[in-house]
Amino acid sequence: MITVTPAAASQIKLSAEQGKTEGMSLRIAASRNSDNSIHYGMGFDDIKEDDITVASGDIEIIMSAASAELLKDTTIDFVELEPEKFQFIFMNPNDPNYKPPAE
């Protein structure tokens, strides 16, 4: 369902350690913008009753059912977009603005 690359998993673990949130799940949220693109959010959170839980390696991910539908088959990576500027990216085939990386 959701894949977290090794680079993203490493950064997620580091963020949890730095924020003293080890042991909490990573919540990912997704919603549609007015132009049909998808807006993403991430943070550490406790599991709520109606959450969907998935694991990618040793990263536990929680999300709402609505977000899960928008995030189906998404890959999360942590990449250097500009020199010394790293960020999480969502490679999501459900987003009309997504273009697969050239091989």
Side-chain angles (χ1 to χ4, degrees), residues 80-101:
E80 186 173 19
L81 294 177
E82 297 174 19
E84 303 299 315
K85 186 173 183 179
F86 290 83
Q87 81 179 50
F88 287 100
I89 61 168
F90 292 79
M91 295 178 283
N92 184 347
N94 303 300
D95 189 330
N97 295 322
Y98 171 69
K99 292 183 180 43

Side-chain angles (χ1 to χ4, degrees), residues 1-66:
M1 168 173 242
I2 293 179
T3 302
V4 177
T5 67
S10 178
Q11 185 61 36
I12 290 164
K13 290 176 192 172
L14 179 63
S15 295
E17 184 180 305
Q18 291 174 338
K20 306 276 190 254
T21 54
E22 298 104 319
M24 293 183 80
S25 299
L26 178 69
R27 178 172 298 281
I28 302 175
S31 60
R32 286 254 181 229
N33 292 319
S34 60
D35 66 354
N36 208 30
S37 65
I38 298 177
H39 175 79
Y40 303 97
M42 292 177 21
F44 297 100
D45 199 4
D46 294 317
I47 298 173
K48 295 179 177 53
E49 187 176 329
D50 293 333
D51 282 339
I52 294 172
T53 304
V54 297
S56 179
D58 55 354
I59 303 295
E60 183 179 51
I61 300 167
I62 55 176
M63 67 198 101
S64 69

